[in-house]
Amino acid sequence: MSEVTNAELKALVTRIETLEAEAEIRRLQARYMFLCDTPIPEYGVKSDEERIELIMALYTEDAVWEGVGEYYDNQFGRAEGAAAIRRHFQGFWKKDQDPKLLLNVHYLTSEQIHVRGDVAEGQWVHCQPWIFSNGKALLRSSRLNNAFRKEPDGTWKITRTRTENVFVAPLQEGWATDYPSESVLLKD
């Protein structure tokens, strides 16, 4: 059996760090989408203000959230910095929102994660059905091109959320008849 050289050991450590980073980024992106679902599936989270703070904990202070392309430019715009991103989410989950969002679930596909040391980018396609209290329903699909950074404490955070519309398809009223008003999945 031959001895492992320093170069081989360093290459192995780099490969392991890359795999760990990819796994952490995958969990981070999935957590973000999970927290954006309605009803909020995180048991014990009782308000959208609480939800927003959990989402904000996933972002760096200098992060950017933006919708791009011909459909999203005017709908979502660009929010630079944590305070602006928080305001974006506060506008999305207004207490007096009418019609009220009853259901919104994110399904991620087509994942690609590219790690380069302490920074990374990830691309996904996501699909999400929406149901509103006025009976309106739609299916939306978007491409995501997000960026991440490993912070000094070793945790990965989102530095950029960038979304571009693929399509929006109206759904007929009543296409989904049974859905919960709250989630209890993670109760115990």
Side-chain angles (χ1 to χ4, degrees):
M1 188 155 117
S2 64
E3 288 188 32
V4 176
T5 66
N6 282 342
E8 290 171 326
L9 185 57
K10 184 177 179 181
L12 184 58
V13 167
T14 299
R15 288 176 61 197
I16 291 170
E17 287 173 344
T18 299
L19 289 171
E20 288 175 341
E22 289 172 357
E24 193 63 31
I25 290 163
R26 185 174 298 113
R27 283 189 291 272
L28 178 60
Q29 184 64 40
R31 174 112 176 107
Y32 168 77
M33 292 302 198
F34 181 80
L35 290 169
C36 289
D37 288 349
T38 300
I40 180 94
E42 183 85 32
Y43 187 78
V45 176
K46 297 297 182 195
S47 70
D48 287 326
E49 293 80 15
E50 212 177 323
R51 168 207 308 255
I52 291 167
E53 291 313 308
L54 290 169
I55 291 170
M56 293 310 302
L58 306 176
Y59 280 91
T60 61
E61 283 297 314
D62 62 342
V64 173
W65 196 107
E66 65 182 328
V68 298
E70 59 191 83
Y71 182 76
Y72 277 171
D73 278 341
N74 295 325
Q75 184 180 15
F76 291 126
R78 180 180 171 97
E80 294 184 41
I85 294 171
R86 181 177 282 104
R87 283 191 301 275
H88 164 75
F89 285 118
Q90 288 167 336
F92 189 80
W93 286 301
K94 292 184 248 180
K95 288 184 184 203
D96 59 348
Q97 183 178 348
D98 187 33
K100 184 174 174 55
L101 182 59
L102 302 176
L103 177 79
N104 178 28
V105 182
H106 296 77
Y107 300 93
L108 288 173
T109 67
S110 306
E111 176 182 271
Q112 297 181 58
I113 299 173
H114 315 280
V115 178
R116 290 177 310 286
D118 289 347
V119 296
E121 287 194 352
Q123 292 81 38
W124 291 266
V125 173
H126 88 286
C127 236
Q128 63 187 121
W130 300 60
I131 299 175
F132 295 91
S133 60
N134 66 355
K136 184 177 177 183
L138 57 96
L139 181 64
R140 172 179 282 176
S141 179
S142 305
R143 286 188 176 81
L144 303 171
N145 184 351
N146 298 346
F148 307 86
R149 180 173 67 224
K150 188 175 185 179
E151 295 295 276
D153 69 358
T155 61
W156 283 88
K157 293 206 172 191
I158 302 168
T159 59
R160 181 189 70 227
T161 296
R162 196 163 200 236
T163 180
E164 177 182 49
N165 187 58
V166 175
F167 69 83
V168 175
L171 298 172
Q172 291 186 3
E173 186 174 347
W175 73 274
T177 57
D178 299 316
Y179 46 88
S181 60
E182 68 178 332
S183 179
V184 296
L185 181 65
L186 300 177
K187 184 176 181 178
D188 293 323

